[in-house]
Amino acid sequence: MLKYIGKRLVQIFILLVVYVAVVFFLLHSMPGGIKAMLTTNPNLTPQARDSILHAFGLDQSLWVQFLTYLKNIFTLNLGVSFSFYPTPVWSIIAERLPRTIFLFATATLISFFIGFSSGKSLAWKRGKVSEYVATIIGVITYTVFTPLLIFVLIWFFGAYLGILPINQFLNPDLWVNTTFDAQTVFLYLLLTVSIVGAAILFSFIVAQKVSHRVKTKKIILYTSTAIASALSIFWWAISPYGIYGADIIWHMVLPVLSVAIISYAGTMLVMRDSMLETIKEDFITTARAKGLPDKVVRDKHAARTAMLPVITNFVLSMGFVVSGGLITESLFSWPGMGMTLLNATLAKDYPLASGALIFTGIFVLFAHLVVDIVYAFLDPRIRY
Amino acid sequence: MRPVLEVKNLKMYYNTRAGIVKAADDISFTLAQGESMGLVGESGCGKTSVSMSIMRLLAENANIVNGNIYFKGKDIVKLNDEEINKIRWAGIAMIFQAAMNSLNPVYKVGDQIIEAILAHEPNVTFEESRARVAELYKLVGLDPKRMDNYPHEYSGGMKQRAIIAMSLSCNPDIIIADEPTTALDVIVQDMILKEMAKIQKKLNMSMIYISHDIAVIAEVAEKIAIMYAGKIVELSDAVTVFKKPAHPYTVGLMSSFPSIHGEKKKLVTIPGEPPNLLNAPDHCRFAPRCPFATKECWEKMPLYEEISPNHFVACFHPQNLRKQVSKDA
């Protein structure tokens, strides 16, 4: 296993160099560019222009710039943003990332949960009317033009019913007199979710170790989930951040709904197909013959074995979680990674644009490594 | 004594797009406590359909249209899902055709056996069930240490033994072994069959062996039922079936397998192939392949009758046949 991880780390390193090269040269091959913008600016004196170019190293050849950039990346220095000068790229990413992660992680988890359980049930009760209805609706929402769906949702919930906020991630009127910034609340929200998630995972592992009966396992899992959630809700209720956290979550409802509607069907269809394959296997007949209840056969034997392709799908969407959906973020004016990338590219802000892309790249590469390791736990036949 | 299993006029049909397939048509037999029975026939003659009906593990398009299956006096056909789940494995266990794939690849073999024990015996603790699995492993000739291995770490023969251990785990009254050794080589096959017979005698269980290979069945079964095209054509104790076969199909089956102990003779194949059960004929279903068929055979279905004590045959000319066989010999 360790040998395998070492091998994979070397691969990741090589891939990363290639990826950085592609990102760097692609961005610099865009027409226009910062150099042209500076030279065509009539308000700048030639001396000022030259000193700016020299300060950013833009007067050197592209190859030298690339090598310098590569060196900086491996010393974890992503440079300074042009458009937010002199803020370092790292702090911009650090500011935007939690917003994107919080929104898209929530949406992805919800859509995977819906997709996983609906795909499972559809395959189990094959040939019912519900299967055709769910499949058709799923394919429609999966293939529909995303902005159109979002506009319809915004119109329906925001304008027609008027019950949900339509853009931004907070209500400025509410925040006027606060002494802390939204970032703090965001980080607390993320922290809460991570702690609750870790508690659920921990109780799941404990339940597996402690008990061997499905019923007790479920009781342990559900009670600890309920306790963890209740405690965190209690903490938010008594803390001064409570109402502000609720405000952010309230603003999140519509974007999360949109992303979930768009992406749940992918998981559902993959899970359904994989389940249909697994159900035909002989060990499912064995499980039934053993007199296990229908639900145990479905969840413990069929779904557990059929979930591997869904896990793959989940990892592929991890890139989405950090890069953010450009369309979703723009339409909801959600200032996350997607918006940052778009604005940086439009402003020819090379360091910020490549920084955002490279950060996403590193994250996705490591997410894949983590999933390969998780695979080994989920499927004992996979050994490295 | 009341038999532990009694199948009465069982009719199990598949509804397919092309029409109704009569996979099991008017099947009747009884099985006493501790008795072992063989169910023999070519592929597609309905052997597995009968066993799946007994377990009520039917495909969605399969229906038991008529008949009763009494297990200890309870009619399995009429039970609801919860009641049938109680009988499965604890009352009637099964060794499946494809033992290679009958174990879930993502769970340890021992845990899969323990799962069955815990599902049926709520008072047994995990440690007790582990101890029982260890005993079962010893019984079937496996190292108890292997129970914490995954199925892919087992060889074919070991998987088969593990499945046998699993089938014994809840002390069932009946075990149905559907082609239990087909996937194994001849040497392992023989070993496992002998062991199964030994265990069956030791625990005084009833056993139904299903196979297309009459030689295999002959080694282990006391009673043999020959199936052809969804029907039982001959049923008697093993000795009678071998010494005095009354149905031409039985004779055909026996002469198409080599015997190690008997004299050398040419293997005879039965010409033709079993009828499509989709359009099963109204006359004797074996008539098209039968060398003794007369006009009568092409007009009516022969009755399933007791021609001598405990020897049931569905044929118009069982007498003719006996002469014919003795002439050949």
Side-chain angles (χ1 to χ4, degrees):
Chain A
M1 189 67 151
L2 280 175
K3 201 177 153 197
Y4 171 77
I5 293 174
K7 219 165 89 187
R8 282 295 302 273
L9 284 176
V10 174
Q11 279 176 10
I12 285 177
F13 179 81
I14 296 168
L15 264 174
L16 201 59
V17 173
V18 175
Y19 179 66
V20 170
V22 171
V23 166
F24 183 85
F25 288 109
L26 260 183
L27 280 175
H28 279 268
S29 62
M30 278 197 306
I34 197 87
K35 237 170 163 177
M37 274 162 72
L38 292 174
T39 35
T40 51
N41 188 342
N43 300 327
L44 276 180
T45 62
Q47 287 89 343
R49 197 190 68 208
D50 285 347
S51 67
I52 290 175
L53 287 179
H54 184 73
F56 286 111
L58 291 167
D59 54 345
Q60 286 160 322
S61 78
L62 208 52
W63 279 106
V64 178
Q65 286 184 42
F66 174 64
L67 289 177
T68 319
Y69 190 66
L70 204 56
K71 193 192 84 198
N72 283 343
I73 281 183
F74 287 108
T75 53
L76 296 179
N77 174 8
L78 290 177
V80 173
S81 163
F82 291 163
S83 41
F84 296 92
Y85 187 81
T87 324
V89 170
W90 264 124
S91 18
I92 297 176
I93 292 179
E95 183 198 32
R96 307 287 168 86
L97 189 64
R99 301 173 189 167
T100 293
I101 289 187
F102 195 49
L103 173 64
F104 284 93
T106 313
T108 312
L109 284 177
I110 290 177
S111 72
F112 265 87
F113 182 73
I114 296 173
F116 178 78
S117 29
S118 58
K120 185 175 80 180
S121 311
L122 286 185
W124 199 245
K125 300 268 174 223
R126 204 169 178 204
K128 295 268 164 65
V129 182
S130 60
E131 194 202 355
Y132 297 108
V133 175
T135 312
I136 289 170
I137 293 178
V139 170
I140 289 174
T141 57
Y142 192 55
T143 49
V144 76
F145 185 51
T146 311
L148 180 71
L149 180 80
I150 293 180
F151 281 139
V152 170
L153 286 174
I154 289 179
W155 166 78
F156 187 72
F157 289 104
Y160 184 74
L161 293 178
I163 49 169
L164 287 173
I166 57 170
N167 68 354
Q168 300 290 8
F169 65 101
L170 45 78
N171 179 6
D173 297 340
L174 186 72
W175 291 70
V176 172
N177 296 319
T178 52
T179 48
F180 44 85
D181 54 357
Q183 194 64 20
T184 327
V185 180
F186 250 115
L187 290 176
Y188 275 124
L189 278 175
L190 262 182
L191 192 69
T192 315
V193 172
S194 323
I195 291 175
V196 172
I200 293 172
L201 191 69
F202 181 70
S203 67
F204 179 75
I205 295 169
V206 168
Q208 292 289 339
K209 285 256 180 285
V210 169
S211 172
H212 300 277
R213 287 179 198 278
V214 180
K215 244 184 207 160
T216 16
K217 276 184 200 172
K218 272 192 177 161
I219 291 171
I220 295 177
L221 188 62
Y222 291 160
T223 6
S224 53
T225 307
I227 291 173
S229 320
L231 278 180
S232 59
I233 289 171
F234 178 70
W235 185 84
W236 278 94
I238 58 161
S239 81
Y241 306 116
I243 181 143
Y244 304 102
D247 186 42
I248 289 175
I249 289 175
W250 184 237
H251 277 79
M252 244 172 63
V253 173
L254 207 47
V256 165
L257 187 69
S258 316
V259 176
I261 287 178
I262 291 161
S263 55
Y264 86 95
T267 317
M268 184 181 84
L269 296 175
V270 170
M271 185 62 195
R272 177 176 157 272
D273 269 20
S274 178
M275 268 297 263
L276 287 177
E277 279 301 306
T278 312
I279 287 172
K280 284 184 216 147
E281 298 276 351
D282 294 318
F283 60 80
I284 298 296
T285 319
T286 312
R288 277 187 210 271
K290 281 200 281 190
L292 303 174
D294 199 50
K295 270 193 179 155
V296 175
V297 179
R298 185 189 70 184
D299 296 345
K300 191 177 168 189
H301 286 277
R304 170 69 174 71
T305 319
M307 76 191 289
L308 281 172
V310 178
I311 298 286
T312 313
N313 230 16
F314 185 73
V315 183
L316 294 178
S317 67
M318 285 321 277
F320 195 49
V321 169
V322 285
S323 72
L326 199 65
I327 296 170
T328 318
E329 286 196 359
S330 322
L331 291 179
F332 286 104
S333 312
W334 189 270
M337 292 292 280
M339 287 267 275
T340 307
L341 180 62
L342 178 68
N343 292 335
T345 314
L346 292 177
K348 305 286 186 294
D349 186 347
Y350 300 138
L352 185 54
S354 46
L357 281 173
I358 286 162
F359 178 80
T360 312
I362 295 176
F363 188 89
V364 170
L365 285 173
F366 276 97
H368 277 73
L369 176 63
V370 168
V371 160
D372 281 339
I373 295 168
V374 169
Y375 261 27
F377 283 100
L378 287 180
D379 190 342
R381 286 167 297 183
I382 298 174
R383 285 287 174 265
Y384 305 117
Chain B
M1 206 185 92
R2 198 169 60 184
V4 64
L5 184 77
E6 186 176 6
V7 178
K8 251 188 179 170
N9 305 96
L10 175 73
K11 291 187 180 183
M12 199 276 266
Y13 296 170
Y14 290 101
N15 285 316
T16 66
R17 213 170 285 175
I20 290 172
V21 177
K22 299 180 177 176
D25 204 359
D26 220 359
I27 302 286
S28 300
F29 63 85
T30 58
L31 188 67
Q33 177 77 41
E35 192 179 27
S36 63
M37 177 180 149
L39 206 54
V40 189
E42 281 166 287
S43 303
C45 70
K47 301 172 305 239
T48 303
S49 294
V50 171
S51 65
M52 287 306 193
S53 302
I54 296 171
M55 291 296 276
R56 274 264 304 273
L57 287 170
L58 298 175
E60 262 170 41
N61 61 343
N63 292 309
I64 296 177
V65 287
N66 185 28
N68 311 87
I69 301 167
Y70 294 104
F71 170 71
K72 289 179 163 177
K74 260 193 232 167
D75 190 355
I76 289 176
V77 176
K78 294 195 177 77
L79 296 181
N80 65 26
D81 287 353
E82 208 173 306
E83 290 165 329
I84 189 75
N85 269 344
K86 276 185 193 145
I87 289 185
R88 285 177 186 159
W89 226 253
I92 309 171
M94 193 162 181
I95 298 167
F96 286 100
Q97 214 162 17
M100 297 296 134
N101 306 320
S102 293
L103 293 165
N104 191 329
V106 304
Y107 294 110
K108 288 173 185 163
V109 179
D111 287 350
Q112 297 188 43
I113 302 176
I114 289 166
E115 185 187 24
I117 299 174
L118 293 182
H120 288 286
E121 291 162 45
N123 299 324
V124 175
T125 66
F126 179 70
E127 282 67 33
E128 284 165 4
S129 64
R130 259 188 92 83
R132 192 192 294 177
V133 174
E135 264 171 49
L136 289 171
Y137 263 48
K138 276 182 215 148
L139 188 67
V140 297
L142 282 172
D143 182 357
K145 277 181 211 144
R146 298 295 299 247
M147 65 198 259
D148 288 324
N149 286 139
Y150 288 97
H152 69 276
E153 293 163 318
Y154 277 47
S155 72
M158 287 169 71
K159 272 187 211 169
Q160 190 67 59
R161 285 166 193 269
I163 296 261
I164 294 168
M166 192 194 264
S167 71
L168 295 167
S169 60
C170 297
N171 299 318
D173 301 280
I174 305 170
I175 291 182
I176 303 174
D178 189 352
E179 307 264 4
T181 55
T182 308
L184 304 173
D185 64 77
V186 185
I187 295 165
V188 182
Q189 208 174 48
D190 195 48
M191 220 154 64
I192 285 189
L193 275 173
K194 281 198 176 125
E195 246 157 74
M196 279 169 70
K198 215 168 73 194
I199 293 168
Q200 184 239 338
K201 282 278 158 295
K202 195 170 149 193
L203 304 178
N204 195 29
M205 284 179 314
S206 307
M207 193 103 190
I208 301 178
Y209 291 96
I210 296 178
S211 179
H212 57 267
D213 188 341
I214 198 165
V216 164
I217 295 290
E219 273 187 60
V220 286
E222 296 158 0
K223 184 163 135 185
I224 294 180
I226 311 282
M227 274 191 82
Y228 184 77
K231 282 179 170 295
I232 291 183
V233 293
E234 182 159 8
L235 171 75
S236 190
D237 57 282
V239 180
T240 313
V241 169
F242 266 82
K243 294 274 194 252
K244 293 189 238 162
H247 198 281
Y249 181 61
T250 315
V251 180
L253 268 185
M254 281 191 295
S255 43
S256 59
F257 282 99
S259 160
I260 300 173
H261 309 296
E263 77 262 45
K264 256 192 208 171
K265 57 181 176 198
K266 215 175 165 191
L267 292 182
V268 187
T269 54
I270 308 172
E273 54 190 62
N276 186 351
L277 293 178
L278 184 59
N279 300 309
D282 294 335
H283 55 76
C284 174
R285 290 183 184 169
F286 190 59
R289 299 169 78 185
C290 182
F292 312 106
T294 56
K295 201 178 157 218
E296 198 182 9
C297 303
W298 287 94
E299 280 165 358
K300 284 189 293 187
M301 187 76 88
L303 288 174
Y304 180 62
E305 286 171 323
E306 195 167 9
I307 57 161
S308 59
N310 284 323
H311 189 185
F312 297 86
V313 180
C315 181
F316 288 117
H317 312 293
Q319 307 302 328
N320 282 355
L321 181 62
R322 221 172 281 164
K323 277 178 230 150
Q324 187 70 28
V325 171
S326 55
K327 216 193 293 166
D328 282 355

